[in-house]
Amino acid sequence: MTNRILFILMMVAGLTAPLYAYPVFVMDLLCFALFACAFNLLLGYAGLLSFGHAAFFGGAAYITGYVTKEWGFTPLLGILAGAGFATVIGAAFGFLAIRRQGIYFAMVTLALAQIIYFLALQMPFTGGENGLQGIPRGHLFGVIDLTDSLAMYYFVFAIFLIGFGLIYRTINSPFGEVLQAIRENESRALSLGYDVDRFKLLAFVISATLAGLAGATKAIIFQFAALTNAHWQTSGEVILMTLVGGLGTIFGPVLGAITVGALSHELSAFGSWVQVILGTIFVICVMVFRRGVVGEIQHYLARKKH
């Protein structure tokens, strides 16, 4: 029941957001919300902590930018190309990383992500520290002009809903149940006959693909693929968003992304102190809301029923 109410609120807020907020800013929040949901699928439901998800987010942005700018791909095909790239490197990274567990898994993902960051910095087509600029928005289906902010907003909102729906379906499927069993007790899941490594690899690839979808969409929105999108700090930010909203909850990452993104925007006048302030907020949230904001609300409602 709670999830149904939250979904209705999310739909109403998403459909009406351009009426009271700057559309480009909201689109940025939607991209990070999808990114956080993708990360939450891996950590919150499979129990795998990745420090390298920025590789998929940023790598997809560069691929989308290149194929739309240089090869003349439509924005939709460009986004799909970026997500496809994230799928491929997600499969490669996942194949290597799932051979380790715990902090070793996290360190492997961080090391692999740094390779993508180095390539983004050194490859001739990426623009180096200046990023890949001049990415065209183009037309959707050859008809809808995406240079119009309102048309672009609802296109992005549709992509977010598709990604969110895929995550929701994955979580509430037999596959999702197995992932949660692996998170709770991997040895028991293995003893029941499940191919644990295969399930973890699939979860990693799905998460990487959706993270890439978010990054590719962001590149079209801002017509720019930035080096910071592939930086390890972006991986840290998505962890922060997920934990603040509620790890292992469906809507927690969405709220966390909106909260962290809005705070970063509002506190931008403080310069480098923004990270200190966000770090302080993070510590307070961990101390006060151990399950995240949405997690605590759901826990309170569950206790109230009993």
Side-chain angles (χ1 to χ4, degrees):
M1 186 65 181
T2 305
N3 286 338
R4 188 177 300 174
I5 294 172
L6 289 174
F7 181 75
I8 293 171
L9 291 174
M10 184 180 76
M11 285 295 297
V12 172
L15 290 171
T16 59
L19 300 177
Y20 53 81
Y22 183 46
V24 175
F25 173 62
V26 183
M27 284 189 274
D28 188 36
L29 294 181
L30 286 173
C31 288
F32 277 104
L34 179 57
F35 186 23
C37 287
F39 177 79
N40 181 55
L41 174 65
L42 188 65
L43 178 59
Y45 290 91
L48 298 174
L49 173 59
S50 168
F51 282 159
H53 255 49
F56 314 123
F57 187 75
Y62 277 105
I63 295 301
T64 295
Y66 182 77
V67 299
T68 53
K69 182 180 179 181
E70 302 296 335
W71 293 357
F73 277 33
T74 64
L76 183 58
L77 286 177
I79 289 171
L80 291 176
F85 172 77
T87 302
V88 173
I89 62 170
F93 285 12
F95 179 76
L96 296 171
I98 62 169
R99 299 170 184 271
R100 296 293 180 263
Q101 294 181 341
I103 191 64
Y104 300 104
F105 173 89
M107 289 298 101
V108 169
T109 59
L110 176 60
L112 292 170
Q114 287 302 100
I115 296 174
I116 298 298
Y117 177 79
F118 177 78
L119 291 174
L121 182 62
Q122 298 295 330
M123 293 292 283
F125 75 89
T126 61
E129 293 183 355
N130 296 321
L132 181 59
Q133 304 179 29
I135 301 170
R137 283 191 179 182
H139 289 74
L140 181 63
F141 306 124
V143 177
I144 303 173
D145 185 4
L146 294 182
T147 57
D148 177 49
S149 293
L150 198 60
M152 187 69 201
Y153 172 80
Y154 285 110
F155 173 55
V156 173
F157 186 54
I159 290 175
F160 167 76
L161 288 178
I162 291 169
F164 183 85
L166 179 59
I167 292 170
Y168 181 83
R169 184 68 189 91
T170 301
I171 291 168
N172 292 282
S173 68
F175 174 76
E177 296 292 332
V178 175
L179 287 183
Q180 294 176 64
I182 293 172
R183 179 196 63 193
E184 295 300 325
N185 194 323
E186 185 173 330
S187 298
R188 180 174 293 177
L190 192 62
S191 68
L192 291 173
Y194 291 110
D195 188 343
V196 170
D197 285 348
R198 185 170 66 89
F199 278 94
K200 290 197 293 187
L201 178 58
L202 282 172
F204 195 95
V205 171
I206 293 171
S207 180
T209 300
L210 292 170
L213 181 66
T217 305
K218 189 173 186 288
I220 296 293
I221 295 168
F222 290 96
Q223 301 180 272
F224 177 64
L227 188 61
T228 53
N229 289 338
H231 196 264
W232 64 265
Q233 188 174 337
T234 301
S235 295
E237 287 178 0
V238 78
I239 295 173
L240 173 63
M241 292 172 182
T242 306
L243 293 178
V244 167
L247 182 66
T249 62
I250 296 171
F251 293 93
V254 178
L255 179 62
I258 293 171
T259 302
V260 174
L263 283 173
S264 297
H265 177 74
E266 293 299 325
L267 299 173
S268 59
F270 291 94
S272 58
W273 282 95
V274 171
Q275 300 302 322
V276 177
I277 297 170
L278 288 177
T280 304
I281 293 171
F282 172 63
V283 171
I284 293 171
C285 285
V286 169
M287 297 294 292
V288 179
F289 306 108
R290 293 180 180 272
R291 300 175 181 84
V293 176
V294 174
E296 288 293 344
I297 292 172
Q298 291 181 343
H299 180 69
Y300 171 76
L301 294 175
R303 286 179 56 189
K304 196 173 181 181
K305 283 183 179 180
H306 293 89

